[in-house]
């Protein structure tokens, strides 16, 4: 499938940290914000963008630092998650909106919840009305542990680089449901070629601890979607995350892996539509 998002607008937060940002501003009081996961890119939201670009809502999506068309770095420190949190906060500040629904995937969920926890800890308002989390990454204190679940996790970095085709196949087996469309898989494989193993490892190593208890104070609606066949994030981890957020809902999708917005786009879009209806009908989120 061809890219359908508009060409990125360079968004500068700090010198040397350039983010590729796509926006669609319709003058609406409601904005949808999409945050992709580790190794992803903004084009992974194309099926949501194509659908909601027909509605009277504003859309914002970007490539995380080191991903897609955004700038890269050879410095591990550049990928500490607190910087990704600052990117998120800066983009929201640059595009104010009275109503916001944020949709995040995988590690993007962890970045989002780190941002939420930081605001709650300093007793600041969280400028989001609803959260939709797709296959959220674990909130474990560290993500430095095994990734592939076999001998590949013990390879030294230099050998991992040589074995990338094998690592790619293993990742695909974990990330996608067996019934995935081969054409979709081929498209995503091509889109992720630029993602370096250095960046993947640096992001995982730079994941900062999140205060689980403070998240219990978050009173806004949170909807969690999980793939029954997700081999990247175990369902037990997702249920554990749900327990940190009282009142959150969990929908487990059969015949679905980790790439939920691509494997089950209609389900994701319906979830977003429901959230939009809540806002438009005056059913405001709890404070």
């Amino acid at each position: 499938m061809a890219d359908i998002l508009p060409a990125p607008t360079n968004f500068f937060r700090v010198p040397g940290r350039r983010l590729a940002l796509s926006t669609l501003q319709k003058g609406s009081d409601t904005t949808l914000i999409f945050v992709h996961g580790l190794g992803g890119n903004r084009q992974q939201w194309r099926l949501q963008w194509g659908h909601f670009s027909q509605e009277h809502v504003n859309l914002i999506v970007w490539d995380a630092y080191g991903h897609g068309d955004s700038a890269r770095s050879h410095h591990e420190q550049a990928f500490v998650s607190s910087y990704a949190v600052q990117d998120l906060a800066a983009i929201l500040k640059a595009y104010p909106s009275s109503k916001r629904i944020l949709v995040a995937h995988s590690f993007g969920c962890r970045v989002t919840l780190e941002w939420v926890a930081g605001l709650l800890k300093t007793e600041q308002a969280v400028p989001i009305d609803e959260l939709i989390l797709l296959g959220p990454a674990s909130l474990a204190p560290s993500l430095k542990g095994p990734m592939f679940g076999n001998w590949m996790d013990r390879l030294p970095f230099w050998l991992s680089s040589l074995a990338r085709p094998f690592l790619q196949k293993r990742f695909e087996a974990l990330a996608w449901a067996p019934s995935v469309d081969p054409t979709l898989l081929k498209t995503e494989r091509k889109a992720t070629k630029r993602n370096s193993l250095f960046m993947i490892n640096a992001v995982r190593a730079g994941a900062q601890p999140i205060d689980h208890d403070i998240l219990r104070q978050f009173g806004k609606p949170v909807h969690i979607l999980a793939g029954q066949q997700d081999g990247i994030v175990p369902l037990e981890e997702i249920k554990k995350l749900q327990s940190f957020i009282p009142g959150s809902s969990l929908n487990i999708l059969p015949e679905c892996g980790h790439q939920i917005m691509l494997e089950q786009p209609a389900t994701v879009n319906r979830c977003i539509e429901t959230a939009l209806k809540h806002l438009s009908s005056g059913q405001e989120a709890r404070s």
Side-chain angles (χ1 to χ4, degrees), residues 1 5 30 32 41-42 65 71 74 98 102 104 113 120 146 156 159 177 182 208 246 253 264 273:
M1 179 180 293
L5 273 65
T30 304
L32 296 178
N41 59 82
R42 71 187 192 284
Y65 190 64
H74 296 294
S98 60
L102 191 151
L113 292 176
L120 292 174
L159 191 53
Q208 299 300 292
L253 309 179
Q264 297 284 348
E273 286 169 349

Side-chain angles (χ1 to χ4, degrees), residues 253-273:
L253 309 179
E255 299 297 319
C256 184
H258 187 62
Q259 310 288 15
I260 298 172
M261 65 280 207
L262 293 167
E263 296 182 67
Q264 297 284 348
T267 301
V268 173
N269 291 348
R270 282 196 298 271
C271 187
I272 297 172
E273 286 169 349

Side-chain angles (χ1 to χ4, degrees), residues 36-40 67 105-108 147 171 195 199-200 203-204:
H36 72 74
L38 174 57
H67 296 69
H105 175 240
S106 193
F107 191 80
M147 184 174 182
F171 174 81
N195 290 330
M199 182 271 292
I200 298 292
V203 170
R204 297 183 77 226

Side-chain angles (χ1 to χ4, degrees), residues 29-285:
D29 65 351
T30 304
T31 300
L32 296 178
I33 301 107
F34 299 95
V35 185
H36 72 74
L38 174 57
N41 59 82
R42 71 187 192 284
Q43 293 292 345
Q44 289 184 320
W45 298 108
R46 58 186 177 271
L47 301 178
Q48 286 67 50
W49 186 283
H51 182 84
F52 290 100
S53 64
Q54 307 303 312
E55 305 294 333
H56 186 57
V57 293
N58 309 316
L59 305 177
I60 299 175
V61 64
W62 65 96
D63 289 331
Y65 190 64
H67 296 69
D69 294 317
S70 289
R72 269 128 171 94
S73 176
H74 296 294
H75 301 286
E76 188 174 272
Q77 187 67 20
F79 298 102
V80 171
S81 60
S82 54
Y83 288 121
V85 168
Q86 292 176 36
D87 291 337
L88 169 59
I91 290 171
L92 293 183
K93 183 178 180 180
Y95 293 89
S97 182
S98 60
K99 300 177 183 178
R100 288 170 168 150
I101 298 169
L102 191 151
V103 189
H105 175 240
S106 193
F107 191 80
C109 299
R110 183 176 173 123
V111 168
T112 299
L113 292 176
E114 183 179 337
W115 169 68
V116 169
L119 291 174
L120 292 174
K121 194 168 185 179
T122 54
E123 299 184 345
Q124 298 181 65
V126 180
I128 290 292
D129 294 279
E130 299 204 20
L131 283 180
I132 299 174
L133 307 178
L134 312 179
S138 169
L139 294 189
S142 172
L143 296 182
K144 293 182 181 179
M147 184 174 182
F148 297 102
N150 61 16
W151 55 270
M152 295 179 182
D153 289 313
R154 298 188 293 274
L155 293 176
F157 180 75
W158 68 270
L159 191 53
S160 295
S161 299
L162 295 176
R164 178 160 182 159
F166 299 99
L167 299 179
Q168 179 78 26
K169 288 183 179 179
R170 176 58 178 166
F171 174 81
E172 290 173 356
L174 293 171
W176 299 89
S179 58
V180 64
D181 182 349
T183 303
L184 175 59
L185 187 59
K186 183 178 180 180
T187 298
E188 289 307 299
R189 186 181 297 144
K190 181 179 179 181
T192 58
K193 274 188 175 180
R194 292 182 62 197
N195 290 330
S196 69
L197 289 176
F198 168 80
M199 182 271 292
I200 298 292
N201 289 335
V203 170
R204 297 183 77 226
Q208 299 300 292
I210 296 174
D211 185 343
H212 301 162
D213 290 333
I214 200 74
L215 289 176
R216 301 183 191 280
Q217 299 178 19
F218 186 57
K220 309 289 182 69
V222 178
H223 314 284
I224 304 171
L225 302 183
Q228 182 73 58
Q229 296 172 307
D230 186 346
I232 298 295
V233 183
L235 188 55
E236 293 75 17
E237 284 296 317
I238 294 177
K239 289 180 177 178
K240 186 185 301 183
L241 181 149
Q242 185 196 12
S243 71
F244 299 143
I245 308 174
S248 59
S249 65
L250 173 60
N251 186 9
I252 302 172
L253 309 179
E255 299 297 319
C256 184
H258 187 62
Q259 310 288 15
I260 298 172
M261 65 280 207
L262 293 167
E263 296 182 67
Q264 297 284 348
T267 301
V268 173
N269 291 348
R270 282 196 298 271
C271 187
I272 297 172
E273 286 169 349
T274 299
L276 287 171
K277 287 178 182 177
H278 287 167
L279 292 183
S280 64
S281 65
Q283 299 178 38
E284 298 298 333

